[in-house]
Amino acid sequence: MTAEVNQSAPGQGPLTGLRILDMTTVIMGPYATQILADYGADVVKVEAPRGDTTRQIPPMRNPGMGCIFLHLNRNKKSVALDLRDADAVAAVFEIVADCDVLITNVRPAGLARLGITYDALRERRPDLIWISLVGFGSGGRYGGRPAYDDLIQGLTAVPSMLVAAGSEVPHYVPISFNDRAVGLHAAIALLAAVRHRDVTGEGQFVEVPMYETMVQFTLGEHLGGETFEPANGPMGYRRTLTRERRPYATKDGFLCLIVYTDAQWRNFLRIVGRSELMERDPRFESLLSRTEFADDLYVMLREELLQRTTAEWLAAFAESDIPAVPLHTLETALGDEHLADVGFFHTVDHPTEGRIRSMAVPTRWSGFEPAEPRPAPTLGEHTRELLSATSLPPETIERLVAGVDSREVAR
């Protein structure tokens, strides 16, 4: 069930007063700025004449308002500018003068060709913070190369690990988790830089590389024996790489289960009538031994779970404090009872797209309640409003507005 709410303007949040010029596209950057906008930051999104590419990803009701765009760009204002026009570049400089942060995933060399550099912008805003999202750190041989989620999954060995865990062929995880994880890192780095500026008065240039960030993300779990010099074992976390770690078939469905601690294993073995194994079988002795024999233990779980229905197991596990949930599909996740309890899904009225489903800010605060989100903007919806607050001549503003045809996004 989806709660119905009325659209209202964002209220005061913990980041109220922080103004961000968002020159990012696709997922990574927009996800970072969407989180900050949800907490009250004033995010001004600069888009090219055709708009962010996610505007074109279906399904959609109207051209330029694709579903992924709607979920990544709420609570933002859209300014459409053709940066091949010198006056549009001048407009960026004007807007920057009133911003705390610029965040971009355009490669620095590309912006430099337009005359948009950190040093140049600092002349307008000396304490400016520039967050540069790049594929690879500028100090390495990959610096300057483009990067996408699939490429980073490959370089961080995710498809290879899936084969080690049982897949027949290498494949990608079907979610842009690199984009979203690096987006979170970018939001954290941005706030850290703002904190530094609040203390010192100094802005700075911060580079957030996708590859290095996700190597840390992946190898923090899988560096294994290579943690030590010399290495004292293989790489990889054995418990998560076993081919037997997967949802378990029951008599009538599937169940996601983890039996991890001593107490959980003791309770599980009691439920299945094999309590003696905890004391007699050295494989169950400790977390160390259970990790070493992960394959054996997961096989045992797989065989035991086939003996009862999903409902029977869930009831037994709930009584014994063993973590277990049914396996959702995308469709059943939408109807999850817990999400209904906390009002996670809202229905809001979008001024051009009609009624749309929105997802709540997931955190809960004792002194702050997020306002109902302002729906994602149409392309260039706020161009005239934002440019009118600058010192650009009215005729220049009108020419820039007229020069970006929002219908281009449909072509």
Side-chain angles (χ1 to χ4, degrees), residues 46-51 55 78-85 88 378-381 383-384 387 396-409 411:
V46 174
E47 301 187 66
R50 286 182 59 83
R55 286 185 176 276
S78 171
V79 175
L81 293 170
D82 186 346
L83 295 180
R84 295 170 298 182
D85 186 320
T378 55
L379 178 61
E381 179 178 341
T383 304
R384 183 176 281 103
L387 296 188
T396 299
I397 294 173
E398 291 307 313
R399 187 180 65 79
L400 291 175
V401 172
V404 177
D405 185 348
S406 61
R407 291 173 297 179
E408 282 291 319
V409 76
R411 297 176 187 169

Side-chain angles (χ1 to χ4, degrees), residues 109-407:
L111 289 176
R113 287 193 290 271
L114 301 173
I116 302 175
T117 66
Y118 180 52
D119 288 340
L121 293 181
R122 286 177 68 193
E123 295 180 7
R124 298 301 304 271
R125 177 79 188 220
D127 63 350
L128 179 70
I129 295 164
W130 179 311
I131 306 294
S132 178
L133 305 179
V134 296
F136 307 93
S138 57
R141 65 187 64 196
Y142 299 165
R145 291 187 185 181
Y148 291 88
D149 200 278
D150 291 359
L151 305 186
I152 301 301
Q153 286 198 40
L155 284 173
T156 54
V158 171
S160 300
M161 285 192 287
L162 291 173
V163 170
S167 294
E168 292 184 2
V169 296
H171 65 90
Y172 302 121
V173 176
I175 184 171
S176 300
F177 78 95
N178 292 280
D179 284 322
R180 293 178 185 275
V182 179
L184 287 170
H185 270 268
I188 294 167
L190 186 155
L191 293 176
V194 170
R195 171 61 176 162
H196 176 267
R197 190 197 62 184
D198 290 345
V199 172
T200 67
E202 300 173 354
Q204 61 185 301
F205 182 96
V206 180
E207 182 180 83
V208 182
M210 194 176 185
Y211 182 34
E212 290 93 315
T213 299
M214 293 310 297
V215 169
Q216 181 196 65
F217 188 95
T218 304
L219 293 190
E221 187 167 339
H222 289 288
L223 198 57
E226 290 291 342
T227 300
F228 305 96
E229 290 285 353
N232 70 350
M235 296 181 71
Y237 180 22
R238 189 176 302 176
R239 187 186 74 81
T240 63
L241 287 177
T242 172
R243 291 171 175 249
E244 296 295 336
R245 179 178 175 257
R246 61 188 64 202
Y248 298 102
T250 65
K251 272 188 174 182
D252 62 350
F254 284 88
L255 190 68
C256 300
L257 165 74
I258 184 164
V259 188
Y260 187 73
T261 67
D262 290 352
Q264 290 165 1
W265 272 108
R266 190 171 291 110
N267 287 338
F268 177 81
L269 292 172
R270 174 183 51 78
I271 291 171
V272 299
R274 304 178 71 179
S275 294
E276 75 283 355
L277 292 178
M278 199 69 189
E279 308 303 330
R280 299 180 184 175
D281 191 329
R283 296 176 299 177
F284 295 88
E285 186 175 89
S286 65
L287 178 59
L288 173 61
S289 63
R290 292 193 296 268
T291 301
E292 290 177 340
F293 293 97
D295 280 7
D296 293 353
L297 272 56
Y298 281 121
V299 168
M300 174 191 171
L301 290 173
R302 171 166 57 83
E303 293 172 347
E304 291 289 350
L305 267 290
L306 287 169
Q307 307 307 311
R308 307 186 193 183
T309 67
T310 299
E312 288 170 339
W313 283 121
L314 287 174
F317 293 150
E319 290 179 2
S320 300
D321 200 25
I322 296 175
V325 297
L327 174 64
H328 270 326
T329 63
L330 289 173
E331 291 74 19
T332 60
L334 190 62
D336 185 276
E337 293 177 346
H338 172 83
L339 296 179
D341 292 341
V342 299
F344 183 75
F345 294 109
H346 301 67
T347 299
V348 299
D349 290 318
H350 192 286
T352 63
E353 306 312 302
R355 300 183 71 71
I356 64 172
R357 182 177 283 110
S358 180
M359 290 175 278
V361 175
T363 56
R364 296 209 168 193
W365 301 52
S366 62
F368 159 66
E369 181 159 350
E372 300 305 337
R374 180 176 58 233
T378 55
L379 178 61
E381 179 178 341
H382 304 93
T383 304
R384 183 176 281 103
E385 171 192 334
L386 270 294
L387 296 188
S388 295
T390 70
S391 61
L392 291 173
E395 58 273 18
T396 299
I397 294 173
E398 291 307 313
R399 187 180 65 79
L400 291 175
V401 172
V404 177
D405 185 348
S406 61
R407 291 173 297 179

